[in-house]
Amino acid sequence: MLANLKEWLQDRKQHLDLFDETKTAKQDNPLYIIGSLVWLSWMVVIVSGVILMLWYIPTTTGAYRSIEHITYDIPFGWLVRGMHKYAADMLIICITLRIYRMYFAGEYKKPGELSWMILFASLVLGMISGITGYLLIWNQRAFWAAKTVLTVPTYYDEIPLLGNTGLGHAITYIFLGGPAVGQATITRFYAIHFGISVVFVILAEVFFYRTRRRRLNLSPFVIVLVLAFLGWLSFERLTDMGRWANPNRTPLPILSDWYFLALYQLVKYMPPLWAGIAPALLIGYGMLVPFLDRTKETRPLERPLFFTVGMLALVYFIAFTALIMLNIAVISRDPPIIMAVTAVVMVAAFMWELVHRRRKARQAQTPPARPAPPAPRATAAAS
């Protein structure tokens, strides 16, 4: 078994493609420059983050003031902070788009399983880096968003068969560094936020060194255009400070970064136990989908069930985000409707999958048509 796993890893490593390095011939399609944009935005995040570290103070008393100082007192500090924030948003957007491209185009199938799994894990780690970086501002929204997110692991202690093992509270305690969000939390979040980038940079450099691939398959014009857009966005929409974190005053609604809003809304709709399990199930499905989809088809409509699941995830991401941003969600009304819609859609998807497979099986059993007999010669017809 270990030999098979080693052989599988060796084969997939040969086809590893994290930043679309092998797809330069397809760059007339915008969907195939996403990988390079992932790399570019990531580098902007790292460079701007290192500059921010020169002035940032990771303490509950100094964090907010130090970011104010960076934004309003340091020359071009607002630009560095804006580039860091908007490049991070761009990174999450590009990874998400790349995942959807791979999903609907079936690029996660052999030999792309390892590329898919690393990319999906990168999205999860990128979101963790986002929420840990979000707290570093130490304002009201960041404080309460972190507090809310860190309550989710405690629900693991309500799993019926396992009972209260204390694992969920232990996970929360490790991140908090104590019984509540405080100095130990900001220290841990700062270390995680910084550590994720460092580890990934080292791994990526080892990857490029061994494969001799190009890091960035973009023209200088496109690179300048992207950087100019991030600079313009930093100037036009100066990243706000919000109010200093106040543990005694709960903001309503509690909001986090945009890419957590849909998940946060989903968790609010569910009972506490499922609120803890659902994110783990979503991550598990994402990591294992190359092994769940066993067909050789790559076209989306030839994979009805997986196509429907992907579309459902996309629609729910947009809808839940809109509901929480517009503050129009009704907890007592929405969950039954969402459950009913989900059940109907999934039953329809299963039926579609069955019908599709039967049709493909009949086509496979149908013998090929006999070739038509040759037409009589014109000379023979004339005589």
Side-chain angles (χ1 to χ4, degrees):
M1 184 177 177
L2 285 176
N4 291 337
L5 180 60
K6 186 177 180 182
E7 184 181 351
W8 184 88
L9 279 172
Q10 289 294 337
D11 179 64
R12 300 314 186 269
K13 279 168 64 179
Q14 298 293 326
H15 298 89
L16 201 58
D17 189 356
L18 301 179
F19 304 105
D20 290 336
E21 305 94 338
T22 65
K23 297 183 172 60
T24 51
K26 296 184 178 181
Q27 285 193 338
D28 54 337
N29 184 340
L31 290 176
Y32 286 90
I33 64 170
I34 294 175
S36 293
L37 291 176
V38 169
W39 174 259
L40 178 60
S41 54
W42 187 26
M43 289 302 105
V44 174
V45 169
I46 289 174
V47 171
S48 56
V50 169
I51 297 174
L52 290 175
M53 288 172 65
L54 299 175
W55 291 281
Y56 178 69
I57 302 171
T59 63
T60 55
T61 54
Y64 188 89
R65 293 293 183 211
S66 65
I67 292 179
E68 266 191 332
H69 179 59
I70 291 169
T71 307
Y72 300 112
D73 300 334
I74 303 297
F76 297 104
W78 58 270
L79 179 62
V80 178
R81 187 180 165 217
M83 296 283 277
H84 189 70
K85 186 256 187 302
Y86 291 120
D89 287 346
M90 180 178 158
L91 177 64
I92 295 293
I93 291 171
C94 289
I95 293 179
T96 305
L97 288 175
R98 173 83 189 276
I99 283 176
Y100 268 105
R101 190 198 79 198
M102 292 185 73
Y103 186 89
F104 287 117
E107 294 176 5
Y108 56 71
K109 291 175 179 286
K110 183 181 179 181
E113 300 102 316
L114 189 59
S115 297
W116 165 271
M117 293 171 73
I118 292 176
L119 195 67
F120 196 86
S122 301
L123 177 63
V124 175
L125 290 173
M127 293 176 73
I128 292 173
S129 181
I131 193 67
T132 51
Y134 194 58
L135 181 69
L136 301 184
I137 306 171
W138 202 251
N139 62 14
Q140 269 289 72
R141 288 177 59 176
F143 178 90
W144 287 96
K147 188 180 177 67
T148 303
V149 168
L150 289 175
T151 59
V152 172
T154 62
Y155 300 145
Y156 295 145
D157 292 337
E158 299 180 18
I159 297 175
L161 295 178
L162 297 180
N164 187 356
T165 60
L167 175 64
H169 282 81
I171 294 173
T172 299
Y173 193 90
I174 289 171
F175 280 97
L176 285 174
V181 179
Q183 178 56 54
T185 314
I186 200 170
T187 303
R188 280 164 169 71
F189 275 38
Y190 189 49
I192 294 170
H193 185 69
F194 177 71
I196 288 175
S197 293
V198 170
V199 169
F200 264 72
V201 164
I202 293 171
L203 293 176
E205 286 303 316
V206 171
F207 166 72
F208 282 120
Y209 176 76
R210 289 191 170 186
T211 59
R212 304 292 183 189
R213 292 180 185 171
R214 291 184 61 188
R215 290 170 175 76
L216 195 57
N217 294 312
L218 290 176
S219 68
F221 174 75
V222 175
I223 295 172
V224 171
L225 191 66
V226 171
L227 295 178
F229 174 73
L230 291 175
W232 171 81
L233 201 59
S234 304
F235 173 77
E236 187 66 23
R237 295 186 63 83
L238 185 67
T239 46
D240 61 347
M241 292 295 302
R243 295 178 179 275
W244 195 310
N246 183 354
N248 300 315
R249 188 172 183 177
T250 308
L252 292 174
I254 300 173
L255 297 176
S256 62
D257 265 340
W258 58 269
Y259 42 84
F260 271 108
L261 292 178
L263 184 61
Y264 180 54
Q265 189 63 23
L266 175 67
V267 167
K268 284 171 62 180
Y269 283 147
M270 293 181 167
L273 175 59
W274 280 102
I277 294 175
L281 291 178
L282 289 174
I283 294 172
Y285 173 80
M287 291 294 288
L288 296 177
V289 71
F291 310 102
L292 299 175
D293 184 1
R294 305 302 299 172
T295 65
K296 294 183 179 179
E297 292 286 352
T298 55
R299 290 172 294 181
L301 295 182
E302 295 293 327
R303 298 177 285 133
L305 183 60
F306 291 93
F307 170 75
T308 306
V309 171
M311 289 302 297
L312 204 60
L314 182 61
V315 170
Y316 278 176
F317 175 80
I318 297 171
F320 288 173
T321 302
L323 283 172
I324 194 169
M325 288 188 71
L326 300 174
N327 200 21
I328 56 176
V330 180
I331 300 298
S332 60
R333 178 200 63 191
D334 296 347
I337 297 174
I338 294 167
M339 288 296 292
V341 170
T342 305
V344 170
V345 171
M346 289 308 298
V347 169
F350 273 113
M351 297 299 294
W352 183 13
E353 180 78 26
L354 289 175
V355 171
H356 178 75
R357 290 195 178 196
R358 286 179 182 173
R359 182 171 60 82
K360 298 292 286 186
R362 282 199 299 271
Q363 288 177 351
Q365 293 173 356
T366 303
R370 293 182 177 179
R377 293 184 177 180
T379 52
S383 63

